[in-house]
Amino acid sequence: LFQAKPTILDLVEETVDVALSEYICRCLSGGQIRVLSLRQCRISDDSLAFVLTNLAYSKVATLNLTLGTIDSSRKIKQLTKYLPKSHVTNLSLHGSPLTSRHLQHLLPSLLALPTLASLDLGDCNLTDDCAAALSRHLLSSSTSGMSTSLACLALSGNADISSSDWCRIFLAIGLLPSLRDLRLDFTRLGDEGVRQLAILLAGGTCGLRCLDLDSCGITDDGAA
């Protein structure tokens, strides 16, 4: 079932066929929708492309494509193509199975968005290869003079990333002065990872104000 409010369009467990995708686009063209959510929805590649194309003519600021809605390489390529034409500031792909190849396509476009303030990649089954791709693109965006406004990064629930690869991510995050909120809950960060995080926090260049470390396998030593 979906709920439509003046500024929110929220679809849950829907099959987004041609008729429904046309309805979504009519809502977007009205200029009232600020939040578009497709949660655990079944949507074809063509229907997703149709919706994303119309984002450019809307005022949507928050886009949630979560819980398996993004489930193919072609959908990732569509995000890469159409998101830079939108006004999205908050993007959630939470619960989407992403590979390192997906991130290689997606991250350069996302991090180049001057308006992107929040990115949620939680529970995306990210592996060490994905962590390497993420850290590489974060470093690239910070050292190439590319301006990024990313203030919130959620990596919650990615339990397949090892503590050593978390360290690589922290090195890159240390070069993002705009980042204020980092969510690492329900990961295997552990004591070694949190030691590297402590070095980042003590470095003086990190502007973090909110840090979520719930259920990260941190012992008393790591906490100290």
Side-chain angles (χ1 to χ4, degrees), residues 80-98:
T80 300
K81 179 178 180 180
Y82 295 112
L83 276 182
K85 303 174 184 178
S86 73
H87 306 287
V88 169
T89 58
N90 307 299
L91 175 64
S92 176
L93 300 178
H94 193 106
S96 302
L98 299 179

Side-chain angles (χ1 to χ4, degrees), residues 112-159:
L113 284 174
T115 60
L116 187 67
S118 176
L119 177 61
D120 186 348
L121 299 177
D123 285 304
C124 285
N125 299 333
L126 301 186
T127 63
D128 283 348
D129 287 342
C130 295
L134 176 60
S135 60
R136 184 163 56 251
H137 286 292
L138 288 174
L139 280 170
S140 177
S141 67
S142 61
T143 58
S144 64
M146 186 187 303
S147 176
T148 178
S149 55
L150 190 64
C152 176
L153 178 61
L155 299 171
S156 312
N158 289 299

Side-chain angles (χ1 to χ4, degrees), residues 126 130-132 134-135 138 153 155 161 164-174 182 184 200:
L126 301 186
C130 295
L134 176 60
S135 60
L138 288 174
L153 178 61
L155 299 171
I161 299 178
S164 60
D165 276 274
W166 280 118
C167 297
R168 299 174 68 173
I169 291 176
F170 297 152
L171 288 174
I173 286 175
L182 182 60
L184 305 173
L200 164 67

